[in-house]
DNA sequence: ATGAAAGCGCTAACAT
DNA sequence: ATGTTAGCGCTTTCAT
């Protein structure tokens, strides 16, 4: 078996508790013994047993990270790697470990979360998505277990939920207004899955901008897709089949926008000449597309970093008031938007 | 505090050991008491304490997942999410948890790995990358700790390392031969970081194909980049500045190929008319680019799944012989390659 | 078929 | 300043 505290104690000629105190660098141990004990630890290659510590301390220094159930789709989206990167940075600084959920369906995940909290496998939980009416959130609230949401809770009841989010409504409103200013009057909206709060916020912002400008937001210009791969493409077909097809598109995220560009390319509709496109997230590949995407940078890394910060604080002091952090976004203009050209000018 | 085995025992009027046996579904407990105990567990909402179990069993049912140090770059690449997805699936099936590395530099990661193994925080380790002369690998070998490599060890000494890999050399050879068959005589090679074994395998395959066809592989056609973002772009500039610029490109991976396409687009070099491009991985966005990428599907998900399978088997039976699994690849022809047109035909 | 007791490796209260 | 001891929650001999 591995070397334990007892072995070190024996070699250093002290009691196990002394060794323990040396590990904690207790001030009640003389420098001389500390020295001796440390040498013994070195010599034996001692490392404290993680489980033993966790057991007695009643804490694991580990954060549970919950990835949405549609992992197949979700994980393809650079959003998740990037949040995790943010989480990772902060967790490393605070010496916390990361424990990843592995469930694929909503129920599997719920069961997993239950395990995590009840078996004390983690000290807190990071939820990487916010769904409308989510069972996991409800469970966590009911258990009063420390957790932080990335996104925002949908239900009003969830006042006590800490979260880190962007102002997605405002972002959507801004890009729509921008398109409006460019003279576009028929603007399509390609949203993600309606179960996600972010989709609803985007839609709301889009509609507010339209209404404010005196336009009616017509149902047929609004389309939702969750399948990123085919999603963008089908959405384009649907919208371009309208009697009056849109001349600009607000797209749920960069990856889907890529699919949109691809489809547009196939249909020989040129971007931005004949169609303007704006999307959200500003993941790296939005710069690599042809043409590069005009998009909203939501600072994904920061979302993860802040959420982790917030969670760890909450773990250290459970009485912390609930916090709502809004990470600012930034509109990035690249090459997929252009002033609208009147129809005749094109067709002539 | 949470409910423990003792509480259950008390309620069911049995000894703690009996409860423990019920959890393990021991055959030595009568159905009647099992029933009673289970009811008590239900009533109290009992869940076994993970750390206590790990402590006595000397196993954690957790796998350590080590992400390469250049996480910033690495994680942007869809390769990693996709391997993790494969890992996740298998881990879930086997009821193993996943513990993620958080270190950013090579040394941080090495230290983390040390912690993981010495503190018994994980039962085995999955290395998601294979670097030439990697300290982590050497440490793991020396500790004789169960681990599986995704990729392959570079040093011959590492005979005892189990790994899951593609035949990257062959894949690179095949695509180069394909380009050769299309009449291309000047084929550029844009590889990833030379520290990674996969890069060396790609280069080797590329060169073998060239030599077999009677061509010399010239140094100036071979270029390495690790920065995905700018990498592809700079590489293109470098290669196109040659006196005889290549008419075809073998690119390290899809993401970088995207950057290449983007740059080519900017330089108004049309793909595939004036330049053929092949890459590796077949991540989802390779289908979304314009034009869609001709690439090699290396079955990333499968790599993760197989590696996890292999590791768990090894954990269950440490005497298992070392295994080398080669996941087959598949050449996916899409729209970035075309027969070479003689120079004059274009310029005329 | 079940209970009692020891022990996994560590920390912390209580001695001294 | 250091040692003794109990106990975290569980599993596993060893009894009965």
């Amino acid at each position: 078996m591995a070397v334990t505290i007892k072995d070190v104690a024996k070699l250093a000629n002290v009691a196990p508790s002394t060794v323990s105190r040396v590990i904690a660098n207790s001030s009640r141990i003389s420098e001389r013994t500390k020295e001796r004990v440390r040498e013994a630890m070195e010599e034996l290659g001692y490392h404290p047993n993680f489980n033993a510590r966790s057991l007695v301390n009643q804490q694991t220094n580990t954060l549970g990270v919950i990835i949405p159930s549609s992992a197949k789709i979700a994980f393809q989206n650079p959003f998740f790697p990037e949040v995790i990167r943010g989480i990772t940075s902060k967790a490393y600084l605070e010496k916390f470990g990361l424990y990843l959920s592995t469930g694929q369906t909503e129920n599997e995940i719920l069961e997993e979360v239950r395990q995590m909290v009840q078996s004390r496998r983690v000290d807190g939980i990071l939820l990487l998505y916010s769904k409308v009416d989510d069972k996991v959130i409800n469970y966590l609230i009911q258990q009063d277990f420390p957790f932080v949401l990335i996104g925002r809770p949908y239900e009003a009841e969830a006042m006590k939920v800490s979260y880190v989010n962007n102002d997605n409504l405002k972002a959507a409103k801004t890009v729509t207004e921008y398109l409006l200013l460019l003279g576009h009057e028929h603007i399509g909206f390609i949203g993600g899955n309606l179960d996600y709060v972010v989709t609803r916020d985007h839609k709301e912002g889009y509609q507010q901008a339209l209404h404010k400008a005196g336009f009616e937001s017509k149902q047929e210009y609004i389309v939702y897709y969750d399948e990123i791969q085919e999603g963008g493409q089908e959405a384009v077909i649907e919208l371009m089949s309208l009697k009056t097809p849109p001349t600009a598109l607000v797209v749920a995220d960069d990856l889907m926008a890529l699919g949109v560009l691809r489809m547009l390319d196939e249909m020989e509709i040129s971007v931005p000449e004949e169609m303007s496109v704006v999307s959200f997230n500003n993941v790296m590949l939005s710069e690599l597309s042809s043409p590069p995407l005009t998009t909203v940078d939501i600072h994904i890394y920061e979302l993860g970093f802040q959420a982790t910060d917030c969670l760890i604080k909450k773990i250290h002091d459970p009485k912390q008031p609930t916090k709502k952090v809004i990470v600012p976004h930034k509109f990035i203009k690249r090459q997929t938007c252009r002033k609208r050209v009147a129809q005749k000018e094109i067709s002539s």
Side-chain angles (χ1 to χ4, degrees), chain A:
Chain A
M1 265 316 306
V3 17
T4 78
I5 214 172
K6 279 188 190 164
D7 303 320
V8 178
K10 203 167 289 172
L11 182 62
N13 247 307
V14 293
S17 52
T18 303
V19 178
S20 177
R21 289 187 185 105
V22 174
I23 295 172
N25 201 13
S26 159
S27 55
R28 310 190 318 185
I29 302 289
S30 73
E31 274 311 321
R32 262 188 45 230
T33 20
K34 276 187 187 173
E35 207 46 47
R36 230 174 52 237
V37 171
R38 288 198 182 112
E39 269 167 26
M41 293 188 348
E42 190 71 30
E43 188 176 334
L44 297 174
Y46 169 79
H47 278 257
N49 179 301
F50 170 78
N51 288 300
R53 295 190 91 167
S54 295
L55 182 57
V56 30
N57 291 333
Q58 305 280 24
Q59 54 162 28
T60 59
N61 267 254
T62 303
L63 268 25
V65 176
I66 313 299
I67 313 241
S69 53
S70 40
K72 158 125 197 169
I73 297 152
F75 237 163
Q76 295 280 23
N77 194 319
F79 176 86
F80 291 94
E82 184 67 359
V83 218
I84 292 183
R85 203 168 64 80
I87 294 172
T88 285
S89 303
K90 183 63 179 173
Y92 183 82
L93 292 177
E94 302 283 346
K95 298 193 190 316
F96 266 76
L98 259 28
Y99 186 79
L100 219 62
S101 74
T102 60
Q104 318 269 336
T105 70
E106 206 171 326
N107 282 329
E108 283 175 6
I109 291 183
L110 177 58
E111 192 43 46
E112 245 186 311
V113 171
R114 281 208 177 107
Q115 293 280 348
M116 283 192 200
V117 343
Q118 311 241 24
S119 69
R120 304 274 116 115
R121 193 162 181 160
V122 301
D123 295 337
I125 282 188
L126 244 19
L127 273 182
L128 300 201
Y129 65 96
S130 18
K131 253 192 176 156
V132 172
D133 208 19
D134 185 54
K135 285 179 189 164
V136 173
I137 297 190
N138 292 332
Y139 169 76
L140 256 15
I141 294 178
Q142 169 221 317
Q143 293 284 315
D144 199 27
F145 194 80
F147 80 102
V148 171
L149 191 63
I150 294 192
R152 67 172 184 88
Y154 192 64
E155 307 298 335
E157 79 198 77
M159 289 300 296
K160 8 177 184 168
V161 177
S162 285
Y163 64 83
V164 178
N165 197 16
N166 303 106
D167 191 341
N168 291 313
L169 190 152
K170 176 126 170 280
K173 197 171 161 199
T174 302
V175 303
T176 310
E177 286 170 345
Y178 174 70
L179 259 10
L180 253 9
L181 283 172
L182 290 182
H184 296 279
E185 306 193 337
H186 301 279
I187 303 176
F189 175 87
I190 305 182
N193 189 320
L194 247 189
D195 285 345
Y196 290 101
V197 180
V198 55
T199 303
R200 304 196 176 206
D201 287 345
H202 280 161
K203 194 200 90 181
E204 186 64 22
Y206 158 82
Q207 289 185 312
Q208 283 189 14
L210 250 37
H211 293 155
K212 201 180 115 198
F215 290 97
E216 203 183 335
S217 91
K218 297 210 203 98
Q219 201 48 52
E220 61 267 38
Y221 284 94
I222 301 180
V223 134
Y224 304 102
Y225 276 98
D226 21 348
E227 264 267 4
I228 284 172
Q229 188 130 345
E230 270 90 40
Q233 324 227 355
E234 288 184 23
V236 171
I237 298 179
E238 196 169 330
L239 290 171
M240 295 313 289
S241 307
L242 260 30
K243 327 99 236 168
T244 316
T247 61
L249 260 21
V250 174
V251 184
D253 81 50
D254 295 334
L255 199 55
M256 195 170 283
L258 258 199
V260 167
L261 289 185
R262 167 93 203 87
M263 195 62 206
L264 256 14
D265 188 63
E266 241 171 64
M267 297 172 86
E268 308 204 5
I269 299 173
S270 63
V271 175
E273 291 78 6
E274 300 171 71
M275 177 71 80
S276 288
V277 176
V278 198
S279 57
F280 299 91
N281 290 11
N282 193 31
V283 294
M284 190 227 274
L285 60 261
S286 63
E287 216 174 328
L288 296 180
S289 72
S290 316
L293 285 167
T294 290
T295 184
V296 178
D297 192 333
I298 59 170
H299 300 121
I300 304 179
Y301 175 93
E302 194 64 18
L303 286 173
F305 194 95
Q306 295 284 348
T308 308
D309 178 62
C310 183
L311 179 57
I312 291 177
K313 285 200 179 113
K314 191 169 214 158
I315 288 170
H316 287 150
D317 173 15
K319 284 158 234 237
Q320 289 251 325
T322 51
K323 246 180 274 166
K324 290 126 183 28
V325 179
I326 301 295
V327 172
H329 58 260
K330 191 174 168 209
F331 189 28
I332 309 280
K333 295 190 204 80
R334 283 199 277 252
Q335 304 172 27
T336 48
C337 291
R338 169 167 307 187
K339 215 161 186 176
R340 178 170 178 247
V341 192
Q343 198 66 20
K344 38 194 171 182
E345 292 184 45
I346 278 188
S347 53
S348 72

